[in-house]
Amino acid sequence: MTHKIINKNNMNKIILATLSAILFMGTSVLTSCNKDDDGTSPISKKVTLNDVPFDNKSTEVFARNIAEAILENPEIINEIHTGISSVVSYGLDENLTFFDILNTEESVFFESNADFENLRNAIDVDVLEESGFYAENYYGNLNIYWGYHDNWDGSEMPIICYLDDNYSSNTAKGYSLINGNLEDVEITDEEFDQSNHPIIIINLKEINYSVYPDFKNGIRSKAGVFWPLIIFDTLDVDQEFIDPKPETIYECSIVKMKSSGTQYDYFWAGGSEFKIQVIRPESIYGDTTMTSVAFELTRKKIKNESLINLDVKIHGDWKSGCGNVYVHFSEEDWGNGTMSIPINFSYSGFSISTTLEVSNNDDIIFSDQIMRDNFFNRVLEDDKIFLWGLEEMTGKIRMYESYQ
């Protein structure tokens, strides 16, 4: 097996790692999927590795240690693959953190007896600490990312790549394990996404480990955010009706997302980490509530424009006097700094104002108010499909009799 060494003069266009976020504000309706839609959305750019708060900006030393250890003991590859497969089974991306490997008893994914013995021995904790990585901060989210891990044939030696300051480049340096030796290689983003060869990248996971609930014990909520188990199917979205009466409850939700195929993260960072926040006015006194749902998709699922199930509550009882709701749909990235989105509602004729605090490093896919009449008409009388930015969402209304 050979891999080409590319000439940097022939590099493809480098993804600019600038930070920008443009919000479409106002009272525009939830965009329906029709010929007038242009499919555009305000998408911010990426945070660079220079924005990550740790001293050593390169993961080279850790990649080399693991590559050398694999040469001595190929069983390490199986341990990595098994670990990543387990994390993906929770509906997440193809990542195995150093924290999971070194502090398995405290992992939210693995039981304390998970088999990382060989992999654990390949990581020098002293070097971690000398580089500013400590267990108390989840080793800075240092991570093993194996994109397209499910394409692995179970025998081919992977290339072990690392990231330096040029975090947004379309190339990554690494080590190819050939005939018992390590050979320096440089992999293009095209080679990575073609997934003709297994490629492991030592990177920094963009979502802080601390946000994850205790998945291994069946818990899927933390800090007000729900993480659904992502299922890939053709979920039935037939409405559940009764004859509408004044006391009818109108439960409105988004129940499906069909990926547009848009990769919001650059190649070496992984798949995409999505978050949907829905803010609703609840009374004339200015009370509001928020539903937050987070989920992850692998690059392969996005590339295949996969259909996934969701059940994101837009409103638990969206009666006519409740006014609009606000939706903020983003792909989350690492970084510090927030910005405030001002939101103005009308509830039964009363004006209500609030704000939503979001990270200014995230990709903003859709951020706007949605109107009740538009949602009901689209779901009950049309194709149930909406565009949130580039992503296709399916709505559903369940109507129940009130027991009050």
Side-chain angles (χ1 to χ4, degrees), residues 325-345:
V325 302
Y326 195 96
V327 169
H328 185 77
F329 181 26
S330 60
E331 196 274 333
E332 296 188 285
D333 291 320
W334 178 282
N336 299 315
T338 62
M339 60 182 176
S340 298
I341 300 175
I343 303 173
N344 297 303
F345 292 120

Side-chain angles (χ1 to χ4, degrees), residues 31-49:
T31 309
S32 60
C33 188
N34 57 48
K35 64 181 180 180
D36 295 324
D37 296 324
D38 63 4
T40 60
S41 65
I43 300 175
S44 66
K45 296 300 181 183
K46 291 296 155 189
V47 61
T48 70
L49 192 59

Side-chain angles (χ1 to χ4, degrees), residues 72-274:
E72 295 292 327
N73 186 357
E75 178 59 27
I76 291 173
I77 304 173
N78 289 319
E79 292 182 2
I80 295 173
H81 191 270
T82 298
I84 287 176
S85 297
S86 295
V87 173
V88 170
S89 72
Y90 290 108
L92 302 176
D93 199 9
E94 299 163 294
N95 295 291
L96 177 63
T97 69
F98 278 42
F99 183 80
D100 286 318
I101 299 163
L102 298 175
N103 295 269
T104 312
E105 68 281 357
E106 299 178 31
S107 170
V108 300
F109 303 113
F110 302 100
E111 300 295 340
S112 59
N113 61 353
D115 189 5
F116 296 125
E117 180 179 358
N118 298 298
L119 179 56
R120 190 177 295 116
N121 291 334
I123 300 173
D124 191 326
V125 177
D126 290 337
V127 173
L128 280 172
E129 294 183 353
E130 290 169 3
S131 302
F133 296 102
Y134 301 95
E136 292 77 11
N137 194 34
Y138 306 102
Y139 299 110
N141 296 310
L142 196 60
N143 182 71
I144 298 175
Y145 171 60
W146 190 343
Y148 305 97
H149 83 287
D150 50 346
N151 290 352
W152 186 47
D153 63 5
S155 60
E156 184 177 356
M157 292 289 257
I159 297 169
I160 311 298
C161 291
Y162 61 89
L163 300 178
D164 52 23
D165 285 338
N166 199 13
Y167 202 52
S168 61
S169 170
N170 68 330
T171 65
K173 299 174 183 178
Y175 304 104
S176 182
L177 288 59
I178 300 176
N179 299 324
N181 297 306
L182 295 185
E183 295 188 9
D184 292 340
V185 294
E186 201 164 44
I187 302 299
T188 67
D189 49 20
E190 183 179 5
E191 287 177 299
F192 175 77
D193 250 1
Q194 285 175 344
S195 65
N196 293 326
H197 305 287
I199 298 174
I200 290 173
I201 301 168
I202 311 303
N203 68 3
L204 295 170
K205 187 170 172 58
E206 290 195 309
I207 296 297
N208 195 304
Y209 193 91
S210 63
V211 308
Y212 288 122
D214 191 3
F215 286 105
K216 70 182 179 186
N217 288 315
I219 298 172
R220 287 196 165 265
S221 293
K222 186 174 182 180
V225 180
F226 178 67
W227 296 75
L229 177 61
I230 297 299
I231 300 173
F232 300 89
D233 59 13
T234 55
L235 186 68
D236 178 23
V237 292
D238 288 343
Q239 310 309 313
E240 300 169 15
F241 292 135
I242 61 170
D243 292 330
K245 299 175 182 178
E247 65 274 16
T248 297
I249 294 174
Y250 300 93
E251 183 182 278
C252 301
S253 305
I254 291 295
V255 292
K256 285 197 301 184
M257 169 182 159
K258 186 179 187 301
S259 174
S260 66
T262 303
Q263 303 283 3
Y264 292 94
D265 265 331
Y266 41 82
F267 293 85
W268 319 121
S272 290
E273 302 85 17
F274 295 102

Side-chain angles (χ1 to χ4, degrees), residues 354-403:
T354 188
T355 58
L356 175 66
E357 296 293 320
V358 299
S359 170
N360 58 17
N361 294 317
D362 293 347
D363 292 331
I364 300 171
I365 301 170
F366 177 85
S367 193
D368 212 340
Q369 295 205 26
I370 60 177
M371 293 181 178
R372 181 184 185 274
D373 288 348
N374 180 262
F375 189 92
F376 274 65
N377 290 339
R378 197 75 197 174
V379 172
L380 298 181
E381 300 178 10
D382 214 320
D383 60 5
K384 309 178 183 63
I385 303 298
F386 304 91
L387 284 180
W388 289 3
L390 301 175
E391 307 308 317
E392 185 178 290
M393 319 301 282
T394 300
K396 182 172 183 174
I397 300 174
R398 304 173 178 96
M399 297 185 184
Y400 305 108
E401 290 186 18
S402 173
Y403 291 98

